[in-house]
C-alpha cells in the first residue's frame, strides 16, 4: 500500500489495470472505487483524487483503451507489404479484446453516465471504433494497391465488417463467455484470406 502523501507513479494506468482485473473476476457489479484502489494497492481516496467519480473513471478507462487500439490501427499503414494481411489485421482487431475489453465494454453499458461521457468524447473527436475502421480501410487499400488483396476487395466494407463484428462481440459478451477471438480470426481469414 502506498503511504498517504507519496506520489503514485503511473497512477492512471495502475488504476485502469486494477479495474480491469476487478471486473474480469467479479463482473461489472464488483467495480467500486474501494475495490479498484485495494486491487491497485494504493490509498482509498486515490481514484477520487484523479477522477471526479466512478463514472468519469470508467469513461476515461474505455477511452484510453480505444485510443491504444486506434494507435495500433494507425500503425498498420507501415505494415503494408509485410507479413500476411490476415496476421496484420488480427493484431489490431484482436487488440480490442485485450486489456479486459470484454469486461470493460460491459461495464460501460451498466453505467449510463459513463456511456454518455464516452459518446460525447467520441463525437468530439476522441479515437474510437471509427478511427480504427478508417485506419483499417487505409491499410487494406494499400495492400490492394500492392496486389496482396484481390482488386475486387472493397476495403471500407471489409473494415466495417471487422470493426462491426468486434463491436457486436464486445457488446454482447460477458465475463466467462466463450472467448470471441477465434471467431474474429476466422472472420479475418474469410474476408482477406490466410
Amino acid at each position: 500500500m502506498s503511504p498517504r502523501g507519496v506520489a503514485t507513479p503511473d497512477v492512471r494506468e495502475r488504476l485502469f489495470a486494477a479495474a480491469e482485473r476487478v471486473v474480469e473476476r467479479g463482473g461489472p457489479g464488483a467495480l467500486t472505487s474501494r475495490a479498484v484502489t485495494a486491487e491497485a494497492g494504493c490509498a482509498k481516496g486515490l481514484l477520487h483524487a484523479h477522477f471526479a467519480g466512478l463514472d468519469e473513471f470508467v469513461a476515461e478507462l474505455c477511452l484510453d483503451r480505444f485510443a491504444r487500439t486506434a494507435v495500433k490501427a494507425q500503425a498498420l499503414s507501415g505494415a503494408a507489404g509485410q507479413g500476411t494481411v490476415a496476421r496484420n489485421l488480427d493484431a489490431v482487431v484482436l487488440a480490442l479484446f485485450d486489456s479486459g475489453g470484454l469486461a470493460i465494454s460491459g461495464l460501460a453499458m451498466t453505467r449510463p453516465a459513463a456511456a454518455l461521457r464516452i459518446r460525447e468524447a467520441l463525437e468530439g473527436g476522441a479515437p474510437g471504433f471509427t478511427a480504427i475502421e478508417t485506419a483499417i480501410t487505409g491499410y487494406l487499400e494499400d495492400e490492394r494497391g500492392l496486389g496482396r488483396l484481390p482488386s475486387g476487395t472493397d476495403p471500407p466494407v471489409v473494415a466495417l465488417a471487422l470493426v462491426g463484428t468486434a463491436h457486436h462481440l464486445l457488446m454482447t459478451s460477458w465475463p466467462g463467455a466463450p472467448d470471441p477471438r477465434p471467431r474474429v480470426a476466422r472472420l479475418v481469414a474469410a474476408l482477406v484470406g490466410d
Side-chain angles (χ1 to χ4, degrees), residues 42-190:
C42 57
K44 292 177 184 146
L46 189 64
L47 187 143
H48 292 285
H50 290 272
F51 301 93
L54 201 54
D55 287 325
E56 180 183 329
F57 173 76
V58 168
E60 290 298 318
L61 169 57
C62 292
L63 291 166
D64 178 80
R65 296 326 193 217
F66 280 149
R68 286 178 180 215
T69 305
V71 167
K72 272 190 169 183
Q74 290 162 353
L76 272 175
S77 62
Q82 301 173 26
T84 68
V85 175
R87 194 168 300 130
N88 293 338
L89 288 173
D90 280 346
V92 171
V93 178
L94 296 178
L96 287 165
F97 300 97
D98 294 339
S99 296
L102 293 171
I104 298 307
S105 61
L107 175 63
M109 291 183 351
T110 66
R111 304 191 68 87
L116 177 61
R117 287 182 70 91
I118 293 166
R119 187 177 73 231
E120 288 170 347
L122 294 174
E123 287 171 354
F129 286 111
T130 301
I132 296 165
E133 183 181 338
T134 300
I136 291 173
T137 298
Y139 166 72
L140 292 170
E141 287 169 348
D142 292 345
E143 292 288 20
R144 185 180 62 189
L146 292 171
R148 290 175 23 113
L149 288 174
S151 61
T153 301
D154 187 342
V157 169
V158 172
L160 175 63
L162 293 173
V163 173
T165 298
H167 183 265
H168 167 74
L169 292 171
L170 283 167
M171 296 297 121
T172 59
S173 294
W174 58 92
D179 186 354
R181 287 176 278 220
R183 292 171 64 196
V184 173
R186 287 195 312 270
L187 176 64
V188 169

